[in-house]
Structure formats: structure tokens, C-alpha cells
Amino acid sequence: MGEIRVHDKQFEPYLSAASIAERIKDIAGKLNNDYAEKKPLFIAILNGSFMFASDLFKELAIDAEICFIKLASYKGTKSTGHVITAIGLDMDLFGRDVVIVEDIVDTGKTLSEFLPQLKHQQPASLKIVALLHKPEATVFPITIDYLGFSIPNKFVVGYGLDYDGLGRNIPEIFKLIE
Ligand code: 5GP
């Protein structure tokens, strides 16, 4: 694997398809164990997590449901600032074992705003699985229950993640060359 160009920027190989697949098998093994007999509901956050969610879900050997949502941020009233709403969340979460599937946790802002909304619906449990985490970028600390990789505070593309719309189809993860 050599360098690639997406739009105006150069990226170098960072995580191979094989290493991603291996981590996903590990995570799925833990989930199969922790959620045996529980019939969890996975909620994957689009767009970035579609590839990860799909590969992870294939490795689950338990009864599980999945739904896909999109988060939209809009300007609320002046006191609340930006408000995040979930589009497509048509499941009743009350009493369910919910697992959020996120591509990458960067500052933690998205999840720190969204999780309280989900908790409001009183799920029996609420856990987070994320493929990537940038610990150095943390502004809003989030507990990630199942993590693929901790990565440095660098911009990455591929495996569902885009740079300005492109790069999602690349099967590996590439890191920006600065
Ligand atoms: P947070 O709210 O945690 O700061 O940001 C989470 C979202 O920012 C992710 O779901 C993703 O859409 C985007 N993001 C953060 N870092 C990266 C990155 O390195 N590459 C790409 N493609 N998106 C990122």
C-alpha cells in the first residue's frame, strides 16, 4: 500500500484491512460473550460507521437488532446553542440493552450531547463501541466500552470515513501527511 491522494491532500497507510478485521473479531467475541441471551439493539451512527457496523454485525453470533441513524446538528434557541437530533431513531429503547456503534470519537462532543437523549428513554443498559478514538483530542470525556484502536490526533480517511465526501470506499485507514 502506497500513499494516496484525496482531493488536495496526501495520506499514508495507517491501519491495514487485516488489522481492522482482527480487532473487529476481538470486539465481536467480547460482545458475543457479554450479550449472550440479551438480544441487544445496536444503533449505528451514519455516515461514517456504515462499514464498521456491517463488518462487526456479521461477526455477531447472538440474537441482535441493528438500526442506523443520522445525527443532525442545528442551531437551537440562543441559550442552548447547537442541538443534536437523531434522524431515523424509530425504536423504543425502554428496557433495551443498547449499544451505540460509532466510527471515531474525537473531541467526544457528539456523543456527550447525544447520550443523555438516549438515557432519557431509559434503556436497560447503554454501551459504546467505537472503531477509533483520539484520546489527545478529548474535550468531553466519553467512556468507550469496546474500542478498536487508540490513534494519535491526526486526520484519517478510509473504511467509511471521508475527507469532504471522498475516501469512504477505501478498505484500509489512511492518515494525513502533514
Ligand atoms: P467528536 O464529536 O467526537 O469531536 O467527533 C466525532 C465525529 O467527527 C466523527 O463521527 C467523525 O464524523 C468526525 N471525525 C473526527 N475525527 C475524524 C477524522 O480523523 N477523520 C474523519 N474522516 N472524520 C473525523
Side-chain angles (χ1 to χ4, degrees):
M1 277 194 300
E3 291 180 9
I4 57 160
R5 191 169 189 85
V6 181
H7 290 299
D8 56 333
K9 299 202 188 309
Q10 282 298 113
F11 292 83
E12 61 190 0
Y14 184 54
L15 298 170
S16 70
S19 67
I20 296 168
E22 192 181 315
R23 285 300 298 133
I24 288 176
K25 281 207 164 75
D26 283 354
I27 293 171
K30 290 193 188 108
L31 291 167
N32 283 331
N33 195 49
D34 295 353
Y35 288 89
E37 319 290 327
K38 281 199 169 145
K39 224 182 268 185
L41 170 63
F42 288 79
I43 300 178
I45 302 178
L46 294 172
N47 291 328
S49 75
F50 77 94
M51 209 174 273
F52 174 48
S54 147
D55 285 345
L56 179 68
F57 205 63
K58 277 185 280 186
E59 296 294 334
L60 296 180
I62 51 174
D63 277 348
E65 291 179 61
I66 188 165
C67 71
F68 293 83
I69 64 163
K70 209 159 175 168
L71 295 181
S73 168
Y74 65 92
K75 256 238 187 301
T77 60
K78 39 186 179 324
S79 56
T80 52
H82 282 279
V83 181
I84 284 186
T85 47
I87 299 168
L89 187 55
D90 50 8
M91 306 288 291
D92 187 4
L93 305 188
F94 181 80
R96 298 296 307 267
D97 291 297
V98 174
V99 185
I100 303 297
V101 182
E102 183 58 301
D103 51 358
I104 180 165
V105 177
D106 184 19
T107 64
K109 187 172 193 296
T110 309
L111 287 182
S112 72
E113 288 182 18
F114 182 50
L115 291 178
Q117 296 183 27
L118 293 181
K119 284 185 185 142
H120 192 69
Q121 290 198 40
Q122 296 178 267
S125 66
L126 182 59
K127 303 279 182 189
I128 295 167
V129 45
L131 179 64
L132 305 171
H133 181 214
K134 294 180 183 171
E136 294 157 20
T138 303
V139 179
F140 306 88
I142 294 286
T143 303
I144 300 171
D145 304 282
Y146 305 90
L147 176 66
F149 301 90
S150 261
I151 66 169
N153 195 4
K154 297 273 158 64
F155 190 78
V156 291
V157 292
Y159 198 72
L161 290 155
D162 75 310
Y163 165 45
D164 201 9
L166 296 183
R168 294 194 198 275
N169 53 320
I170 302 164
E172 302 91 27
I173 291 175
F174 282 73
K175 190 171 72 176
L176 179 66
I177 300 173
E178 285 160 302

